[in-house]
Amino acid sequence: MSALSTPHPGVVTVTLNAAIDQTLDVPGFAAGAVNRAVAETRTAGGKGINVAAFLAGAAIPVTATGFLGEENSAVFDTLFRRRGIRDRCLRLAGRSRVNIKLVDREGRSVTDINLPGLHVPAESWRGLLTVVDDLAVTNRTFVLSGSVPAGVPDTAYAEMVTALHRRGAFVVVDASGPPLRHAVAARPDMVKPNAAELAELLGRPLKDRAEVMRAARELSESGIALVVVSLGAEGAVFVEGGRALLAVPPPVEVASTVGAGDAMVAGVVAARLEGGGLEECARRGTAFAAGTLSRLGPELPPPERLAELMRAVRVEDARVEEL
């Protein structure tokens, strides 16, 4: 029986580099020209914060921890209060970073401008490790995701994986670059890179979907129970044990791709917490990701629309050993 097949009190998401996502709807955006936004939204962001938002409202309690800047934490306070997310974030002097998203629906493009984040003092990093250890007493599912801010070592997720496994937790890592490489060496229970992040991790190009599946198998065979590789509009690859699935979403109108990967993580975690197998994880994770594409900010569509998307997801069984 997998670690997520048994009941758990709740899910904890860890966001080391939280952000405020400022999304500007700019039809026909052109670099080097005067552009006019027709709409603006500001939402609490950062990958772990997004996962918490997507999971909130279900029967499973959700806790968010990590670092926030004291000077602009109000948007996070509002999100936590509105969604019923338990707040165990540490406040630091300064401001959480702002990520500006320029969305051009006409041109179907998103331009990202990410500002610098907080510098985390060594004592604050040690304080967060204490908070996470405390949360592991009563929670057994942890999602560690996003970039690592200045002051936090690249080994941050690896340290957390090792400590949480000692507590018997199921640990998901969604990161990139050196933090992902170190985390993979600690053998988390699930990872969710995209194809480019997986290629960087393995140090070789992945030219097609078959090569992505082979690479996902390598990670699975190294001791990571569930490997999910997102492929954008082509869907995602899910590998567990000797089985591989390709999940392809139905066509949807894209308002923004921001948070789609986080929605996929949330969908997979939600499915597994309800005892779902690999196909249910693939179907729900892909439906969550597709559902958020038509919305600005970390929002899922209504339950009936999610159910419709889940039915429309095409799941294909691929025998990994034949690739």
Side-chain angles (χ1 to χ4, degrees):
M1 181 177 291
S2 71
L4 275 184
S5 298
T6 54
H8 292 289
V11 178
V12 177
T13 70
V14 179
T15 309
L16 300 178
N17 206 9
I20 295 174
D21 288 327
Q22 180 183 18
T23 303
L24 303 177
D25 193 347
V26 188
F29 171 76
V34 175
N35 295 272
R36 299 190 183 278
V38 298
E40 179 207 15
T41 60
R42 290 175 184 255
T43 57
K47 294 180 71 62
I49 299 290
N50 289 341
V51 172
F54 289 126
L55 286 171
I60 303 160
V62 180
T63 300
T65 191
F67 300 113
L68 299 177
E70 290 177 331
E71 294 179 18
N72 58 353
S73 65
V75 66
F76 297 95
D77 299 335
T78 299
L79 173 72
F80 297 152
R81 184 171 57 253
R82 183 163 58 91
R83 299 289 187 91
I85 298 168
R86 187 183 179 205
D87 177 10
R88 290 293 304 274
C89 294
L90 302 184
R91 268 65 173 177
L92 304 181
R95 301 171 62 84
S96 296
R97 65 194 173 116
V98 176
N99 291 339
I100 302 170
K101 318 286 183 182
L102 302 173
V103 178
D104 176 13
R105 298 194 193 208
E106 294 177 358
R108 297 186 178 183
S109 70
V110 178
T111 301
D112 294 326
I113 304 173
N114 294 347
L115 302 185
L118 294 164
H119 183 281
V120 179
E123 61 270 20
S124 298
W125 166 237
R126 291 191 296 269
L128 181 63
L129 290 175
T130 299
V131 170
V132 169
D133 189 64
D134 177 60
L135 289 169
V137 174
T138 54
N139 297 274
R140 290 294 180 270
T141 303
F142 284 74
V143 179
L144 319 178
S145 55
S147 58
V148 172
V152 174
D154 286 341
T155 56
Y157 292 139
E159 291 179 45
M160 287 186 179
V161 169
T162 299
L164 289 168
H165 277 170
R166 284 198 295 263
R167 290 286 195 178
F170 184 99
V171 188
V172 180
V173 174
D174 182 8
S176 60
L180 176 62
R181 186 177 68 251
H182 289 295
V184 163
R187 303 294 180 263
D189 301 280
M190 171 182 160
V191 293
K192 194 218 67 66
N194 60 33
E197 290 164 347
L198 181 58
E200 180 185 14
L201 174 66
L202 297 178
R204 66 175 190 266
L206 302 175
K207 300 174 185 177
D208 53 32
R209 203 161 57 200
E211 290 194 4
V212 170
M213 285 194 173
R214 290 192 191 98
R217 178 182 61 180
E218 285 183 33
L219 283 189
S220 178
E221 291 178 344
S222 75
I224 299 174
L226 176 58
V227 178
V228 180
V229 185
S230 51
L231 303 172
E234 294 183 42
V237 169
F238 296 75
V239 177
E240 183 178 40
R243 191 181 185 200
L245 297 177
L246 172 67
V248 181
V252 295
E253 180 184 351
V254 178
S256 172
T257 58
V258 176
D262 308 323
M264 178 168 287
V265 170
V268 172
V269 169
R272 293 299 293 265
L273 283 168
E274 293 179 7
L278 186 61
E279 182 169 346
E280 176 67 15
C281 289
R283 193 171 293 281
R284 190 178 305 198
T286 305
F288 269 41
T292 196
L293 289 174
S294 61
R295 309 174 79 85
L296 295 177
E299 301 274 353
L300 290 173
E304 58 273 15
R305 174 57 176 159
L306 271 180
E308 181 181 297
L309 288 169
M310 285 183 65
R311 289 191 296 270
V313 171
R314 188 175 82 249
V315 179
E316 302 173 357
D317 209 334
R319 295 176 62 86
V320 179
E321 61 270 19
E322 293 180 355
L323 295 174

